Amino acid sequence: MADVPARTEIGVTTGPIRGSKKVHVGPLGVAMREIHLDPSSGEPPLRVYDPSGPYTDANARIDIMAGLPQLRRPWIDARGDVEAYDGRELRPEDNGQLGPDRSGGVPQFPNPVRRPLRAKAGMNLSQMHYARRGIITPEMEYVATRENLGREMLRDYKRDGESFGASIPDYVTPEFVRDEVARGRAIIPNNVNHPESEPMAIGRNFLVKINANIGNSAVASNVAAEVDKLVWSIRWGADTVMDLSTGRNIHDTREWIIRNSPVPIGTVPIYQALEKVGGIAEDLTWEVFRDTLIEQAEQGVDYFTIHAGVRLPYIPMTAKRVTGIVSRGGSIMAKWCLAHHKESFLYERFDEITEIMKAYDIAYSLGDGLRPGSIADANDEAQFSELYTLGELTHRAWAQDVQVMIEGPGHVPMHKIKQNMEKQLEVCGEAPFYTLGPLTTDIAPGYDHITSGIGAAMIGWYGTAMLCYVTPKEHLGLPDRDDVKVGVVTYKLAAHAADLAKGHPAAQMRDDALSRARFDFRWRDQFNLSLDPETAEDYHDQTLPAEGAKTAHFCSMCGPKFCSMKITAEVREFAAKQNQSADTFIAADAGDAERALFASGKGSVADAEAGMAEMSERFKAKGSEVYLPAAE
Amino acid sequence: MADVPARTEIGVTTGPIRGSKKVHVGPLGVAMREIHLDPSSGEPPLRVYDPSGPYTDANARIDIMAGLPQLRRPWIDARGDVEAYDGRELRPEDNGQLGPDRSGGVPQFPNPVRRPLRAKAGMNLSQMHYARRGIITPEMEYVATRENLGREMLRDYKRDGESFGASIPDYVTPEFVRDEVARGRAIIPNNVNHPESEPMAIGRNFLVKINANIGNSAVASNVAAEVDKLVWSIRWGADTVMDLSTGRNIHDTREWIIRNSPVPIGTVPIYQALEKVGGIAEDLTWEVFRDTLIEQAEQGVDYFTIHAGVRLPYIPMTAKRVTGIVSRGGSIMAKWCLAHHKESFLYERFDEITEIMKAYDIAYSLGDGLRPGSIADANDEAQFSELYTLGELTHRAWAQDVQVMIEGPGHVPMHKIKQNMEKQLEVCGEAPFYTLGPLTTDIAPGYDHITSGIGAAMIGWYGTAMLCYVTPKEHLGLPDRDDVKVGVVTYKLAAHAADLAKGHPAAQMRDDALSRARFDFRWRDQFNLSLDPETAEDYHDQTLPAEGAKTAHFCSMCGPKFCSMKITAEVREFAAKQNQSADTFIAADAGDAERALFASGKGSVADAEAGMAEMSERFKAKGSEVYLPAAE
């Protein structure tokens, strides 16, 4: 199926990803994608995790002007702990305007939230709060079904991987989800004012997730482009999206994004607060910041990045760095602290912020404002000092049953990545880690989706729960549509490589299905099973455009006359022809010899020669019957 | 400097990489590239490793029809152990022709080698042979100077990295190179009939190298395109190039490539041998193969991939695999062995092949014909059985003082990569490992330069000496010029990330120089210091095309009004203003607290709180004077 543009003023890409269809599983209708394989494969459709929402559902009618259906609203109402109230009035400064004049503004979303929900007096809406009281919410049930993807298809599956102490279950039950949320090892970010979202979990015992950043800036972008990027990024696999808009129209842009997003939306509220005080960091006040939190809470932001770990005493530790403070939020707070010679108001008012979080069920993403911005600054004193404070704040948030994840670096050479994961797990009580990259070298601007994809795959393997994507434009400019896709696909493959290495029960099914398709020359299946079917098919067609080549039993690498996979097929037929399966008997013998060598742990060349000789002997002894021509 | 096309019938890209100039260092005139920085940086030019040869030398006159100057010829002659002789006559089948009719052929290189060199009777030309007799050759001296890159600029450099037992010296002496070659831990591939090459070393105690594959196939490509790809791939950093041509015109194409290559050229001779017998694997004979080795030895091929480890008893072990045998050479030999029910002639005739290798100084690249072609097949019995045989053959080659490296996988999930490196080091006596990727997942065709770049960076860190690149077209089609560049740059950044993590003394200099340029908003320096200046500048200009933006003290991510780096600069000025440097005093105190926590290895949150509290106390106590306004 080709991409079908939706009938809306704001164009977004809709329609199923080719070769796939949307399915809804179980009583909650959990959304998944089914990739259909050629009948010749004799294989059932493969189900894959699918954050793309109704946009890839052939039966869904998409209307950007109306927003998505409110999937979770009945669940929220049923709990009886929320009240609707008259929301905060929109003010010109919310969109960076100095007065009522809206010229230079963007169109307002037709039907914004006017009567937002919040907790009734004394109530706590956080999923962690329910979990700790033993309540399994529909959100938790949805997550359990969603994460179980394919596991039921695993009959005699052998667990294989190194999980570094994670507790990945063979099967995810709603009770397991509840327990992980109660312990703080996983979060389900979903503001009651974002009922359009499909519940998802971020935690090291679940599939590794990825985040895509979008948002307009002071110098570029517009609302239509941002909504398009939202839909485009989840189409290719983004599990959450952060709106990092700066400059004007922040409020209106965010409304369009949230109303049309099936995935959790995160923001960095200090960005908008800074705009409200004309970009002068020292003019920031707790009141302006608090007002911004309420504004965004009412719109439905699911998680807030709060840089409360940037404390006054740590700031001078950055003076000797090669790249100082590179986090925008971190540097805003650093400037405020220095200008006032005061401790950060985010740190001082942390418990008041937590009160707001629990009234809407917003999760903390504790920002790493002092993360290293270069290889030279990795794992330094400023970075780890802040991490210890984030650990302290994690426990303060948990004391009020509020969900927390921790943001991580940044720029880190490979040999220093593991220490980041280990310290975070230890100091933050296994709260989910959410890292940016890390970039493993600084010398490849233009390729930082790759320098960071390397670090992302590794830290995901070590235990990071969500990876924040990096696009090819990192350090150079604002990502366009193509950059967003490349960034998302790169991070999807890194997250998947991490799931494989951790030994996630169902992760390898897709690799194996694609490998079988490759071996059988089922080109279409190979394209459809890949993370980016369009690019895979396009690359194939650049060399062999003929339609026939899609079914040809050769590829452009070897050509028709000779093909290694064809020869392997012959080897297989040959082995199959034997009265006794060749691989069971030769390999079994070889196996004994080899296993002995491997077990000895020091298979010297002498050992090897001995093993080989032994095998050759046995082989020659039995060879004649193994290789008895089928004819005879 | 822009790219200047050479004045030749076959167009290649010449001229310096922008912002750089070629320099020749020391008595041997070792080629390096100097990147010039803006005077405002107060930094000297940065020297980087440069395999691009005369093509990037503004003073060199390039003539593809004449080939490159014979840099090493005088060194070879001076040793007095070679003799020129009448080379083997060119035959139609060498180019896949059935008769004298050359229609469909490619133009012959105007001046091919007619009187090749070889060892005088009883002589051994291998660099390993000289090394073991205590002789330091000019090739070894050249390598020492080349590898020392930047080390002399390292005054108070702190070694930082995890090298997994490598022996990377602070300074590389010619004697160190000799010793590494003598031990077999490094190779210097340079056939006496390829005197145009600039000596380079492949070994785990030197910089990690990368290889690019080129070559026409039965279905595509031509000689001009291949020569262009050669020059293009070394321009961006390929340290060696393999000509994997199949189909027709193999001999002539290779002549053009070798005569114009400043880097070692590798081949897989069995490919051409197969063409000589009409593509029928079972018709291969030792005589045809031997004839092909001589043909290629006389042309100047520097290393041969020989799949001598694919032994008869191992073949049935592949029958149960998901993707069987994916190595072309491996499957050719598998088919031959099965068809004849015989042990591989490559294994049986190994010592005769070694005799040829030492007569021309050709290095072995022992092929992994049974490497896994999918995640499912990684680290299996067939793969490791072959590896043990490669270990046996390594020692047999060393017994004749012939240089060896070992080829490795393939497709391997992250948690199984290290085992590959450890087994190879153990079984092959630390002979250099030369791996393809490995790909860490199978689900991203179209992005396999990235799925494999992840594995390549990791295995390079663990000890792999050379990484064979993978392009975005892997599994799908033949790489074009753009794919080659993306593949090379991706592998350069992976190799560099590995050098950083191993703690290579000079590796971080480039990262730090680029990070300083980034922090100072020296955009041009940032572009020029990157692996791909053109792409970096292009990406920047897509958002901020104005020339002024090249010197603007902001970027498109934050815009002019607010910039985190500007704020950091203020933090730094602030700290500098203190009568006592803030970071030395606050950080020193904090340092004690933090170091105590880190040292305790179990900095619990309680510890952390204590540490933080202690620091806050000290800070408050001294705060007033730390933050004494400069004015007072």
Side-chain angles (χ1 to χ4, degrees), chain A residues 293-316:
Chain A
L293 293 183
I294 298 296
E295 172 190 352
Q296 299 195 13
E298 293 178 349
Q299 283 186 293
V301 173
D302 300 289
Y303 61 89
F304 285 152
T305 293
I306 306 282
H307 297 94
V310 180
R311 295 189 56 188
L312 185 52
Y314 309 154
I315 296 166

PDB file of all heavy atoms in Angstrom, chain A residues 293-316:
ATOM      1  N   LEU A 293       3.959  25.258  34.208  1.00  0.00           N
ATOM      2  CA  LEU A 293       3.664  23.847  34.484  1.00  0.00           C
ATOM      3  C   LEU A 293       2.156  23.601  34.417  1.00  0.00           C
ATOM      4  O   LEU A 293       1.695  22.645  33.792  1.00  0.00           O
ATOM      5  CB  LEU A 293       4.184  23.447  35.871  1.00  0.00           C
ATOM      6  CG  LEU A 293       5.696  23.429  36.090  1.00  0.00           C
ATOM      7  CD1 LEU A 293       6.005  22.938  37.500  1.00  0.00           C
ATOM      8  CD2 LEU A 293       6.386  22.551  35.053  1.00  0.00           C
ATOM      9  N   ILE A 294       1.380  24.506  35.050  1.00  0.00           N
ATOM     10  CA  ILE A 294      -0.080  24.344  35.041  1.00  0.00           C
ATOM     11  C   ILE A 294      -0.607  24.445  33.612  1.00  0.00           C
ATOM     12  O   ILE A 294      -1.402  23.615  33.165  1.00  0.00           O
ATOM     13  CB  ILE A 294      -0.744  25.431  35.932  1.00  0.00           C
ATOM     14  CG1 ILE A 294      -0.293  25.289  37.380  1.00  0.00           C
ATOM     15  CG2 ILE A 294      -2.258  25.348  35.801  1.00  0.00           C
ATOM     16  CD1 ILE A 294      -0.709  23.999  38.040  1.00  0.00           C
ATOM     17  N   GLU A 295      -0.093  25.423  32.870  1.00  0.00           N
ATOM     18  CA  GLU A 295      -0.528  25.610  31.475  1.00  0.00           C
ATOM     19  C   GLU A 295      -0.320  24.317  30.685  1.00  0.00           C
ATOM     20  O   GLU A 295      -1.223  23.844  29.988  1.00  0.00           O
ATOM     21  CB  GLU A 295       0.284  26.754  30.853  1.00  0.00           C
ATOM     22  CG  GLU A 295       0.063  26.933  29.363  1.00  0.00           C
ATOM     23  CD  GLU A 295       1.060  27.917  28.742  1.00  0.00           C
ATOM     24  OE1 GLU A 295       1.812  28.570  29.498  1.00  0.00           O
ATOM     25  OE2 GLU A 295       1.084  28.006  27.505  1.00  0.00           O
ATOM     26  N   GLN A 296       0.858  23.737  30.818  1.00  0.00           N
ATOM     27  CA  GLN A 296       1.174  22.540  30.037  1.00  0.00           C
ATOM     28  C   GLN A 296       0.471  21.294  30.594  1.00  0.00           C
ATOM     29  O   GLN A 296       0.073  20.410  29.845  1.00  0.00           O
ATOM     30  CB  GLN A 296       2.690  22.343  29.988  1.00  0.00           C
ATOM     31  CG  GLN A 296       3.410  23.511  29.317  1.00  0.00           C
ATOM     32  CD  GLN A 296       4.844  23.171  28.930  1.00  0.00           C
ATOM     33  OE1 GLN A 296       5.248  22.009  28.934  1.00  0.00           O
ATOM     34  NE2 GLN A 296       5.617  24.200  28.576  1.00  0.00           N
ATOM     35  N   ALA A 297       0.286  21.257  31.906  1.00  0.00           N
ATOM     36  CA  ALA A 297      -0.424  20.126  32.529  1.00  0.00           C
ATOM     37  C   ALA A 297      -1.849  20.068  32.012  1.00  0.00           C
ATOM     38  O   ALA A 297      -2.382  18.993  31.718  1.00  0.00           O
ATOM     39  CB  ALA A 297      -0.411  20.272  34.040  1.00  0.00           C
ATOM     40  N   GLU A 298      -2.457  21.244  31.866  1.00  0.00           N
ATOM     41  CA  GLU A 298      -3.847  21.295  31.396  1.00  0.00           C
ATOM     42  C   GLU A 298      -3.959  20.914  29.925  1.00  0.00           C
ATOM     43  O   GLU A 298      -4.987  20.413  29.475  1.00  0.00           O
ATOM     44  CB  GLU A 298      -4.425  22.688  31.641  1.00  0.00           C
ATOM     45  CG  GLU A 298      -4.581  23.006  33.123  1.00  0.00           C
ATOM     46  CD  GLU A 298      -5.117  24.409  33.368  1.00  0.00           C
ATOM     47  OE1 GLU A 298      -5.183  25.210  32.408  1.00  0.00           O
ATOM     48  OE2 GLU A 298      -5.467  24.700  34.528  1.00  0.00           O
ATOM     49  N   GLN A 299      -2.895  21.138  29.175  1.00  0.00           N
ATOM     50  CA  GLN A 299      -2.922  20.753  27.756  1.00  0.00           C
ATOM     51  C   GLN A 299      -2.729  19.250  27.586  1.00  0.00           C
ATOM     52  O   GLN A 299      -3.139  18.684  26.588  1.00  0.00           O
ATOM     53  CB  GLN A 299      -1.832  21.490  26.985  1.00  0.00           C
ATOM     54  CG  GLN A 299      -2.169  22.947  26.681  1.00  0.00           C
ATOM     55  CD  GLN A 299      -1.107  23.564  25.783  1.00  0.00           C
ATOM     56  OE1 GLN A 299       0.049  23.733  26.198  1.00  0.00           O
ATOM     57  NE2 GLN A 299      -1.480  23.871  24.550  1.00  0.00           N
ATOM     58  N   GLY A 300      -2.076  18.604  28.573  1.00  0.00           N
ATOM     59  CA  GLY A 300      -1.929  17.154  28.515  1.00  0.00           C
ATOM     60  C   GLY A 300      -0.514  16.631  28.309  1.00  0.00           C
ATOM     61  O   GLY A 300      -0.333  15.475  27.912  1.00  0.00           O
ATOM     62  N   VAL A 301       0.501  17.451  28.607  1.00  0.00           N
ATOM     63  CA  VAL A 301       1.875  16.976  28.483  1.00  0.00           C
ATOM     64  C   VAL A 301       2.080  15.792  29.437  1.00  0.00           C
ATOM     65  O   VAL A 301       1.668  15.841  30.590  1.00  0.00           O
ATOM     66  CB  VAL A 301       2.884  18.101  28.803  1.00  0.00           C
ATOM     67  CG1 VAL A 301       4.312  17.555  28.831  1.00  0.00           C
ATOM     68  CG2 VAL A 301       2.754  19.218  27.778  1.00  0.00           C
ATOM     69  N   ASP A 302       2.695  14.711  28.944  1.00  0.00           N
ATOM     70  CA  ASP A 302       2.797  13.467  29.713  1.00  0.00           C
ATOM     71  C   ASP A 302       4.032  13.368  30.584  1.00  0.00           C
ATOM     72  O   ASP A 302       4.030  12.678  31.598  1.00  0.00           O
ATOM     73  CB  ASP A 302       2.740  12.276  28.750  1.00  0.00           C
ATOM     74  CG  ASP A 302       1.446  12.255  27.962  1.00  0.00           C
ATOM     75  OD1 ASP A 302       0.405  11.957  28.566  1.00  0.00           O
ATOM     76  OD2 ASP A 302       1.471  12.603  26.752  1.00  0.00           O
ATOM     77  N   TYR A 303       5.129  13.994  30.158  1.00  0.00           N
ATOM     78  CA  TYR A 303       6.289  14.052  31.062  1.00  0.00           C
ATOM     79  C   TYR A 303       7.040  15.362  30.887  1.00  0.00           C
ATOM     80  O   TYR A 303       7.093  15.929  29.806  1.00  0.00           O
ATOM     81  CB  TYR A 303       7.210  12.839  30.924  1.00  0.00           C
ATOM     82  CG  TYR A 303       7.858  12.592  29.572  1.00  0.00           C
ATOM     83  CD1 TYR A 303       9.085  13.168  29.243  1.00  0.00           C
ATOM     84  CD2 TYR A 303       7.267  11.738  28.644  1.00  0.00           C
ATOM     85  CE1 TYR A 303       9.699  12.903  28.029  1.00  0.00           C
ATOM     86  CE2 TYR A 303       7.870  11.477  27.415  1.00  0.00           C
ATOM     87  CZ  TYR A 303       9.088  12.064  27.114  1.00  0.00           C
ATOM     88  OH  TYR A 303       9.686  11.800  25.907  1.00  0.00           O
ATOM     89  N   PHE A 304       7.552  15.849  32.008  1.00  0.00           N
ATOM     90  CA  PHE A 304       8.282  17.115  32.059  1.00  0.00           C
ATOM     91  C   PHE A 304       9.759  16.845  32.312  1.00  0.00           C
ATOM     92  O   PHE A 304      10.094  16.131  33.256  1.00  0.00           O
ATOM     93  CB  PHE A 304       7.792  17.984  33.225  1.00  0.00           C
ATOM     94  CG  PHE A 304       6.456  18.654  33.027  1.00  0.00           C
ATOM     95  CD1 PHE A 304       5.672  18.953  34.136  1.00  0.00           C
ATOM     96  CD2 PHE A 304       5.990  19.010  31.772  1.00  0.00           C
ATOM     97  CE1 PHE A 304       4.442  19.591  33.993  1.00  0.00           C
ATOM     98  CE2 PHE A 304       4.758  19.652  31.619  1.00  0.00           C
ATOM     99  CZ  PHE A 304       3.976  19.944  32.731  1.00  0.00           C
ATOM    100  N   THR A 305      10.611  17.436  31.493  1.00  0.00           N
ATOM    101  CA  THR A 305      12.027  17.439  31.834  1.00  0.00           C
ATOM    102  C   THR A 305      12.274  18.589  32.794  1.00  0.00           C
ATOM    103  O   THR A 305      11.975  19.742  32.465  1.00  0.00           O
ATOM    104  CB  THR A 305      12.898  17.620  30.580  1.00  0.00           C
ATOM    105  OG1 THR A 305      12.765  16.471  29.753  1.00  0.00           O
ATOM    106  CG2 THR A 305      14.358  17.797  30.963  1.00  0.00           C
ATOM    107  N   ILE A 306      12.725  18.250  34.003  1.00  0.00           N
ATOM    108  CA  ILE A 306      12.981  19.256  35.037  1.00  0.00           C
ATOM    109  C   ILE A 306      14.453  19.153  35.432  1.00  0.00           C
ATOM    110  O   ILE A 306      14.905  18.096  35.881  1.00  0.00           O
ATOM    111  CB  ILE A 306      12.091  19.003  36.281  1.00  0.00           C
ATOM    112  CG1 ILE A 306      10.609  18.920  35.900  1.00  0.00           C
ATOM    113  CG2 ILE A 306      12.350  20.062  37.343  1.00  0.00           C
ATOM    114  CD1 ILE A 306       9.925  20.228  35.639  1.00  0.00           C
ATOM    115  N   HIS A 307      15.188  20.246  35.259  1.00  0.00           N
ATOM    116  CA  HIS A 307      16.630  20.221  35.539  1.00  0.00           C
ATOM    117  C   HIS A 307      16.928  20.593  36.984  1.00  0.00           C
ATOM    118  O   HIS A 307      17.727  21.488  37.253  1.00  0.00           O
ATOM    119  CB  HIS A 307      17.370  21.153  34.579  1.00  0.00           C
ATOM    120  CG  HIS A 307      17.267  20.738  33.141  1.00  0.00           C
ATOM    121  ND1 HIS A 307      16.308  21.217  32.274  1.00  0.00           N
ATOM    122  CD2 HIS A 307      17.997  19.857  32.428  1.00  0.00           C
ATOM    123  CE1 HIS A 307      16.458  20.661  31.082  1.00  0.00           C
ATOM    124  NE2 HIS A 307      17.468  19.842  31.146  1.00  0.00           N
ATOM    125  N   ALA A 308      16.267  19.879  37.907  1.00  0.00           N
ATOM    126  CA  ALA A 308      16.403  20.244  39.323  1.00  0.00           C
ATOM    127  C   ALA A 308      17.726  19.789  39.940  1.00  0.00           C
ATOM    128  O   ALA A 308      18.008  20.087  41.094  1.00  0.00           O
ATOM    129  CB  ALA A 308      15.229  19.654  40.109  1.00  0.00           C
ATOM    130  N   GLY A 309      18.530  19.082  39.148  1.00  0.00           N
ATOM    131  CA  GLY A 309      19.807  18.603  39.677  1.00  0.00           C
ATOM    132  C   GLY A 309      20.956  19.571  39.450  1.00  0.00           C
ATOM    133  O   GLY A 309      22.079  19.341  39.919  1.00  0.00           O
ATOM    134  N   VAL A 310      20.679  20.650  38.731  1.00  0.00           N
ATOM    135  CA  VAL A 310      21.728  21.658  38.493  1.00  0.00           C
ATOM    136  C   VAL A 310      21.798  22.561  39.722  1.00  0.00           C
ATOM    137  O   VAL A 310      21.095  23.564  39.805  1.00  0.00           O
ATOM    138  CB  VAL A 310      21.425  22.492  37.232  1.00  0.00           C
ATOM    139  CG1 VAL A 310      22.531  23.529  37.000  1.00  0.00           C
ATOM    140  CG2 VAL A 310      21.285  21.590  36.019  1.00  0.00           C
ATOM    141  N   ARG A 311      22.599  22.154  40.691  1.00  0.00           N
ATOM    142  CA  ARG A 311      22.674  22.904  41.945  1.00  0.00           C
ATOM    143  C   ARG A 311      23.844  23.867  41.932  1.00  0.00           C
ATOM    144  O   ARG A 311      24.855  23.637  41.279  1.00  0.00           O
ATOM    145  CB  ARG A 311      22.768  21.944  43.126  1.00  0.00           C
ATOM    146  CG  ARG A 311      21.514  21.092  43.300  1.00  0.00           C
ATOM    147  CD  ARG A 311      21.561  20.321  44.580  1.00  0.00           C
ATOM    148  NE  ARG A 311      21.744  21.243  45.726  1.00  0.00           N
ATOM    149  CZ  ARG A 311      21.975  20.806  46.955  1.00  0.00           C
ATOM    150  NH1 ARG A 311      22.093  19.515  47.203  1.00  0.00           N
ATOM    151  NH2 ARG A 311      22.115  21.688  47.926  1.00  0.00           N
ATOM    152  N   LEU A 312      23.663  24.943  42.660  1.00  0.00           N
ATOM    153  CA  LEU A 312      24.665  26.024  42.711  1.00  0.00           C
ATOM    154  C   LEU A 312      26.106  25.526  42.897  1.00  0.00           C
ATOM    155  O   LEU A 312      26.995  25.932  42.152  1.00  0.00           O
ATOM    156  CB  LEU A 312      24.268  27.003  43.817  1.00  0.00           C
ATOM    157  CG  LEU A 312      25.092  28.284  43.986  1.00  0.00           C
ATOM    158  CD1 LEU A 312      25.214  29.045  42.668  1.00  0.00           C
ATOM    159  CD2 LEU A 312      24.447  29.186  45.029  1.00  0.00           C
ATOM    160  N   PRO A 313      26.340  24.611  43.849  1.00  0.00           N
ATOM    161  CA  PRO A 313      27.739  24.218  44.070  1.00  0.00           C
ATOM    162  C   PRO A 313      28.385  23.490  42.905  1.00  0.00           C
ATOM    163  O   PRO A 313      29.602  23.414  42.793  1.00  0.00           O
ATOM    164  CB  PRO A 313      27.681  23.298  45.289  1.00  0.00           C
ATOM    165  CG  PRO A 313      26.288  23.194  45.707  1.00  0.00           C
ATOM    166  CD  PRO A 313      25.414  23.952  44.787  1.00  0.00           C
ATOM    167  N   TYR A 314      27.564  22.932  42.016  1.00  0.00           N
ATOM    168  CA  TYR A 314      28.135  22.142  40.914  1.00  0.00           C
ATOM    169  C   TYR A 314      28.556  23.011  39.734  1.00  0.00           C
ATOM    170  O   TYR A 314      29.370  22.602  38.900  1.00  0.00           O
ATOM    171  CB  TYR A 314      27.133  21.103  40.402  1.00  0.00           C
ATOM    172  CG  TYR A 314      26.506  20.220  41.457  1.00  0.00           C
ATOM    173  CD1 TYR A 314      25.267  19.650  41.241  1.00  0.00           C
ATOM    174  CD2 TYR A 314      27.162  19.945  42.662  1.00  0.00           C
ATOM    175  CE1 TYR A 314      24.676  18.832  42.189  1.00  0.00           C
ATOM    176  CE2 TYR A 314      26.570  19.137  43.620  1.00  0.00           C
ATOM    177  CZ  TYR A 314      25.332  18.589  43.386  1.00  0.00           C
ATOM    178  OH  TYR A 314      24.741  17.788  44.314  1.00  0.00           O
ATOM    179  N   ILE A 315      27.979  24.195  39.653  1.00  0.00           N
ATOM    180  CA  ILE A 315      28.185  25.014  38.457  1.00  0.00           C
ATOM    181  C   ILE A 315      29.662  25.344  38.199  1.00  0.00           C
ATOM    182  O   ILE A 315      30.148  25.163  37.076  1.00  0.00           O
ATOM    183  CB  ILE A 315      27.321  26.294  38.526  1.00  0.00           C
ATOM    184  CG1 ILE A 315      25.834  25.888  38.505  1.00  0.00           C
ATOM    185  CG2 ILE A 315      27.642  27.231  37.374  1.00  0.00           C
ATOM    186  CD1 ILE A 315      24.878  26.990  38.899  1.00  0.00           C
ATOM    187  N   PRO A 316      30.394  25.745  39.246  1.00  0.00           N
ATOM    188  CA  PRO A 316      31.810  26.036  38.975  1.00  0.00           C
ATOM    189  C   PRO A 316      32.614  24.814  38.529  1.00  0.00           C
ATOM    190  O   PRO A 316      33.665  24.952  37.913  1.00  0.00           O
ATOM    191  CB  PRO A 316      32.320  26.550  40.331  1.00  0.00           C
ATOM    192  CG  PRO A 316      31.096  27.024  41.040  1.00  0.00           C
ATOM    193  CD  PRO A 316      30.012  26.082  40.616  1.00  0.00           C
TER     194      PRO A 316
END
